[in-house]
Amino acid sequence: MPSRTIAACLLALALASPERALAADPGPREIESVVSGKALYVQHCTTCHGIDGKALIDVIANATDLSDPTAYYSGTRPEQIFTSIRNGAGVAMPPWRSQLRDEEIQHLVSFILSLWPQGRE
Amino acid sequence: MSENDTARLQSRRDFLRTSAIGVGAAAAAGPSSLAFAADMGETEIPSIRLPEDLTTSLAEDPSPGKFEGRGQSGAEVFANLCKQEELAGLFCCPGNYTVINALAAAGIPAYGGRSEGSMCAMADGFSRATGEVTATSGTEGPGFTNMIMNIAAANAARTPLLVLASNMQIAGEDRERAIQTVYQQPTTEGIKKYGKRLIDPKRVHEYGAYAFRHLKSGVPGPVHLDFPAEVSRARFKDPGELTDFHDKSRYRTESRAHPIPADVARAVKLIQEAERPLIVAGQGVFQRRGWDALKRTAEKSDIAVATSGPSRGTFPDDHRLCTMTAPGCLMSADLVVFVGQYCMPSPGEYLFNPDIKAIRVHPVQEDLGRNWPLDLGIVSDEALFLEMLADELPRKKRGPWVTEIAAAKAAYQTQLDEVYGLGLKYSKDTGYLHPAVIARDTQHFLDHDADDRDAVVMGIGGWTSGLFGGRYARANRPANLIVPAYQYGAIGPDMAMMMGVCAAVQRGVGPQAGYEGAPTLCITSDAGMAYSLFELDTAIKYGLPTITIVYNNNAWGVWPHAARSARSMHMYLFQENLRYDQLAEGLGANGEYVRTPQEFNTALARSYRLARDEKVSSLINCQAIKEFTSGRAYPPGVSMNPEPGCGAVAH
Ligand SMILES: Cc1ncc(C[n+]2csc(CCOP(=O)(O)OP(=O)(O)O)c2C)c(N)n1
Ligand SMILES: [Mg+2]
């Protein structure tokens, strides 16, 4: 990923931070994981969950509002989110295991956690 | 036509005869009809046929209105203007009688059908296939309001659609005199480019000119005129009785905005500096017939091309620089040049890197900078810009970019092959047809078994059916593929829309020239049947050879919305195993029922032959199950397709 993009993503995260759930002082590895997760998210997830994760485009059935952990159906622990992505969930969410490596799914989990309101992690 | 096909057609007629004894006669005979029908014994039920009056009427010569003698009516003045403007076709239902009769008499190719909404979709389809202005018409009140969904769809697609309707009398305004008056113009607020209730008879020509100025200048869109009787039936014996009775060369201009050379120089500089430039050729490039200039530009400097809009094929999908089947490379593009992208996405909606630089070329200055922040905005006609750019750009090879596009195409194809493999497996496991199989086998048939793969225009609608279909369908010449759901996302108009496309192909209008006689093909859904199926009567009446493939999953494909709402599911479901093929037979078409890939391919081949050789339309009912929509049960399930790319419907 070009460095300008990483900078842009970090900036976007920083700007939108008041309600973000990254650890108070995220380390470089965590930030990098969020950035990688965001790139994957933009590529694979936005058509159902929306650019902001809020799933406000009512197109694909019942996509979860990822920014609101109280709305999750299949668990909010990182390993549960990982499993939902890997194996699919509900009726509409397909399993991604054949298209994404476990490491990539891990990055997606990091990015999804970063969408939560502060203090919910 | 093979012996098999003949036998089948024969048996279809036999079926009609027998089923009509049970159903048709019983219905006609009223409450005590069942016993009566049983008594009928061997009574011959006449077969479906074309009325004699139809053939005679279609063979009539035009007889446009004249000022001499009784003079011409307001409707005739308007019709003659439409003729001068080469209005390409009229699709209507009876109503607005004075106007539709005058248009037909003036020599405009006219089609009458079964519901105004569908006829409006046909007009839209004709225009999407040709870029030409087409008209639709309905009666005041009910006919007009029946069109609304499809006027809105045409508006979202920026179709130059002339919407006509009668509207009672000016003298009855606000009085609810007689029946059917409605305030039409407020009804089309927000779904038209221009509209006017004509209230002054002597200005009928002047407002006709208004209409065509809007239809043929800048970014097109629907124009809606409503005609009170005082206007359509007024009589004129002398041109002096009409205001602004000028020739089209005086009431509008064909002059177009040329880009200023300094802007083109800046565009050239940005393209030269970029490593991975990409042109998004929008609908404007199709409307302005800029496809040759587009190809010349792209090839001169190895610029990748994606297309967008309701008509596909402005740049061939199989071209080495085309990214329509290479979504994996879009993130690498470092410069995008939007040319004629009428319906503008916002960043994030196209699968581009957030850093991408952007140039936008558009004929209307006010739109530049809307939604997408620009590094350079250029006011210009699309074709003229591309011509100039092709001249000014130095030759350049971009080996790594071309290689990356090729790799992304291969990767996407692998993905499609995998999903097709899964579809075959699911079809085998369940005994029902998976949408990936329908989609892939249809395109495969066109590529390998049709006389000329480019001749058949395909259109793809429905939800699950449409999203799968769009991925496998290819467009290799202008308007080779239509996107019925483009931007408005309406379920239902697709089948009728493709009949309008078929009319354009049969007449060889615009980019359809040279393909006269070829069938059109529509993949659609069971939900869509409720909106358009009856127009099979219209297709057959006018000898339009259409093939409709219905993905019948017994449901509105959005049923997963009900999965967590126990008391809701019933609202999303239909009776299972409905026989759309039998309904088609009842309307005089060939009906096919299939459940396996093998049956599907046989039915498709037969339908193609019937369409090509006999001008008979077919409907192939592909029995499926709703669960194929579920990504959990049958991955990958349904999902939107990346944009810009094949299968895109939003922009
Ligand atoms: C006229 C119309 N009504 C409702 C919708 C909302 N909608 C979008 S997709 C869809 C399901 C359509 O079902 P179908 O066309 O049968 O597709 P499939 O079953 O193949 O998914 C619905 C109801 C719409 N877009 N248009
Ligand atoms: Mg359906």
Side-chain angles (χ1 to χ4, degrees):
Chain A
M1 186 183 283
S3 58
R4 242 176 100 185
T5 306
I6 297 180
C9 292
L10 287 176
L11 185 66
L13 283 175
L15 289 177
S17 268
E19 4 107 314
R20 304 266 161 169
L22 269 187
D25 187 15
R29 277 193 56 197
E30 194 181 350
I31 292 178
E32 223 169 274
S33 176
V34 172
V35 171
S36 304
K38 176 161 183 172
L40 289 161
Y41 180 86
V42 167
Q43 216 158 341
H44 300 293
C45 315
T46 52
T47 51
C48 299
H49 293 281
I51 292 170
D52 53 8
K54 292 180 189 293
L56 290 176
I57 299 175
D58 199 9
V59 175
I60 303 283
N62 261 348
T64 299
D65 174 356
L66 298 173
S67 71
D68 177 7
T70 64
Y72 282 31
Y73 295 102
S74 309
T76 52
R77 290 203 310 276
E79 63 274 20
Q80 290 172 316
I81 301 173
F82 181 92
T83 307
S84 294
I85 301 172
R86 194 172 187 283
N87 299 341
V91 173
M93 169 86 172
W96 286 91
R97 58 177 171 264
S98 62
Q99 289 180 67
L100 298 173
R101 287 176 282 120
D102 282 358
E103 187 195 343
E104 292 176 311
I105 297 177
Q106 205 64 262
H107 293 323
L108 273 174
V109 174
S110 304
F111 174 69
I112 288 164
L113 292 175
S114 81
L115 297 172
W116 289 9
Q118 200 107 52
R120 288 292 318 220
E121 202 184 9
Chain B
M1 186 161 163
S2 74
E3 264 177 40
N4 252 353
D5 295 341
T6 316
R8 195 177 164 83
L9 210 56
Q10 192 53 50
S11 77
R12 178 166 64 88
R13 300 290 181 202
D14 292 345
F15 159 76
L16 280 177
R17 205 170 292 128
T18 46
S19 67
I21 287 174
V23 182
S32 60
S33 58
L34 280 179
F36 175 75
D39 282 343
M40 282 176 71
E42 288 301 300
T43 304
E44 183 73 9
I45 302 290
S47 47
I48 298 171
R49 65 174 181 224
L50 298 178
E52 260 172 46
D53 289 351
L54 177 90
T55 327
T56 329
S57 150
L58 283 170
E60 286 289 332
D61 287 333
S63 61
K66 296 188 181 69
F67 285 116
E68 294 79 48
R70 272 196 76 222
Q72 53 183 319
S73 67
E76 286 170 322
V77 170
F78 176 74
N80 284 338
L81 179 143
C82 290
K83 182 66 184 165
Q84 240 202 60
E85 286 282 12
E86 296 171 46
L87 177 67
L90 165 69
F91 296 83
C92 63
C93 289
N96 196 16
Y97 312 102
T98 327
V99 172
I100 63 170
N101 292 350
L103 287 167
I108 309 286
Y111 300 82
R114 302 299 298 258
S115 78
E116 290 82 355
S118 294
M119 297 315 285
C120 177
M122 272 190 221
D124 188 354
F126 193 106
S127 185
R128 291 185 194 206
T130 60
E132 298 294 334
V133 176
T134 44
T136 183
S137 173
T139 198
E140 46 221 1
F144 160 70
T145 43
N146 189 266
M147 295 182 205
I148 291 297
M149 173 171 92
N150 295 321
I151 299 173
N155 181 65
R158 274 68 164 181
T159 301
L161 177 74
L162 178 57
V163 179
L164 306 171
S166 47
N167 202 355
M168 296 307 291
Q169 295 172 52
I170 301 166
E173 193 92 347
D174 302 321
R175 302 179 68 102
E176 295 172 89
R177 178 183 284 179
I179 53 169
Q180 297 183 334
T181 306
V182 70
Y183 297 112
Q184 287 190 21
Q185 293 300 328
T187 312
T188 47
E189 202 59 53
I191 53 171
K192 69 185 162 198
K193 183 178 179 190
Y194 172 77
K196 181 74 185 166
R197 171 161 170 78
L198 307 186
I199 50 168
D200 186 351
K202 67 178 180 301
R203 298 180 70 183
V204 63
H205 188 276
E206 182 188 341
Y207 278 112
Y210 260 85
F212 279 91
R213 256 198 310 279
H214 280 90
L215 289 161
K216 294 201 165 186
S217 315
V219 175
V223 166
H224 167 203
L225 299 181
D226 67 287
F227 287 82
E230 287 94 334
V231 173
S232 55
R233 295 193 201 164
R235 295 214 79 86
F236 303 95
K237 293 194 165 198
D238 189 286
E241 296 168 35
L242 291 154
T243 58
D244 294 3
F245 190 72
H246 311 305
D247 175 75
K248 69 175 176 185
S249 63
R250 300 193 67 205
Y251 65 68
R252 64 177 184 85
T253 175
E254 289 289 346
S255 174
R256 304 279 168 179
H258 282 60
I260 55 172
D263 280 348
V264 177
R266 286 176 68 195
V268 168
K269 184 164 181 291
L270 283 166
I271 294 171
Q272 284 291 88
E273 285 166 4
E275 283 180 15
R276 291 168 155 75
L278 170 82
I279 293 175
V280 177
Q283 193 186 350
V285 179
F286 173 71
Q287 281 291 341
R288 300 297 306 134
R289 302 194 178 187
W291 43 80
D292 291 334
L294 173 64
K295 204 164 167 196
R296 203 155 64 86
T297 307
E299 288 175 352
K300 198 161 178 198
S301 184
D302 274 358
I303 304 174
V305 178
T307 59
S308 65
S311 306
R312 293 241 294 100
T314 312
F315 193 76
D317 283 350
D318 60 7
H319 193 286
R320 68 185 173 91
L321 292 167
C322 184
T323 64
M324 293 304 274
T325 59
C329 73
L330 295 175
M331 276 283 180
S332 301
D334 54 1
L335 170 72
V336 56
V337 187
F338 294 106
V339 186
Q341 174 84 42
Y342 291 162
C343 172
M344 202 58 201
S346 299
E349 292 192 288
Y350 274 3
L351 197 59
F352 294 152
N353 194 304
D355 295 332
I356 197 164
K357 287 206 160 82
I359 301 175
R360 185 171 172 215
V361 181
H362 195 68
V364 182
Q365 188 178 2
E366 293 91 304
D367 211 55
L368 287 165
R370 184 171 66 88
N371 297 350
W372 201 292
L374 302 177
D375 294 281
L376 175 61
I378 300 179
V379 180
S380 175
D381 175 80
E382 295 86 343
L384 293 172
F385 169 78
L386 288 168
E387 294 285 358
M388 206 149 157
L389 188 62
D391 291 343
E392 298 298 318
L393 265 180
R395 283 202 180 280
K396 186 161 179 162
K397 291 268 165 247
R398 300 174 195 268
W401 187 209
V402 174
T403 309
E404 187 177 344
I405 296 167
K409 279 191 190 207
Y412 188 64
Q413 189 55 49
T414 305
Q415 244 186 57
L416 291 183
D417 292 343
E418 277 169 19
V419 172
Y420 175 59
L422 283 172
L424 284 174
K425 178 182 176 312
Y426 299 150
S427 299
K428 190 154 181 259
D429 292 350
T430 59
Y432 293 100
L433 262 177
H434 188 269
V437 175
I438 297 171
R440 184 270 184 194
D441 282 2
T442 301
Q443 184 60 44
H444 191 266
F445 173 82
L446 292 180
D447 289 343
H448 296 91
D449 301 312
D451 297 336
D452 173 2
R453 58 169 290 189
D454 292 347
V456 179
V457 183
M458 188 162 32
I460 297 172
W463 176 235
T464 311
S465 51
L467 292 170
F468 274 95
R471 285 171 211 164
Y472 290 86
R474 298 291 169 262
N476 287 318
R477 53 114 177 148
N480 198 187
L481 187 67
I482 305 298
V483 186
Y486 182 74
Q487 174 54 211
Y488 202 60
I491 293 294
D494 28 20
M495 184 177 176
M497 191 179 284
M498 290 310 295
M499 291 172 182
V501 172
C502 196
V505 174
Q506 304 321 304
R507 290 183 179 275
V509 178
Q512 306 304 338
Y515 301 111
E516 294 85 344
T520 52
L521 205 153
C522 176
I523 297 182
T524 183
S525 62
D526 50 351
M529 287 302 93
Y531 300 76
S532 288
L533 177 75
F534 247 82
E535 299 305 339
L536 270 176
D537 177 33
T538 312
I540 289 163
K541 185 171 121 180
Y542 290 105
L544 303 175
T546 64
I547 302 168
T548 306
I549 297 168
V550 182
Y551 175 66
N552 180 1
N553 63 352
N554 310 318
W556 293 95
V558 284
W559 63 268
H561 275 284
R564 294 195 182 98
S565 180
R567 277 177 57 81
S568 299
M569 188 59 87
H570 62 96
M571 295 188 284
Y572 295 71
L573 306 177
F574 313 142
Q575 294 178 80
E576 297 191 347
N577 306 316
L578 288 174
R579 296 294 299 274
Y580 300 103
D581 53 316
Q582 291 185 350
L583 290 166
E585 297 250 355
L587 289 164
N590 171 51
E592 304 271 357
Y593 175 88
V594 299
R595 271 180 54 177
T596 66
Q598 167 92 52
E599 287 169 358
F600 174 68
N601 282 291
T602 308
L604 183 54
R606 184 165 41 230
S607 301
Y608 178 78
R609 285 195 301 272
L610 281 170
R612 183 194 58 192
D613 303 339
E614 303 283 313
K615 302 280 170 258
V616 169
S617 285
S618 290
L619 183 149
I620 307 175
N621 180 358
C622 303
Q623 189 58 54
I625 49 172
K626 73 179 193 305
E627 285 72 17
F628 287 151
T629 299
S630 161
R632 184 78 184 286
Y634 294 95
V638 75
S639 66
M640 300 288 279
N641 295 311
E643 296 193 8
C646 66
V649 292
H651 296 97

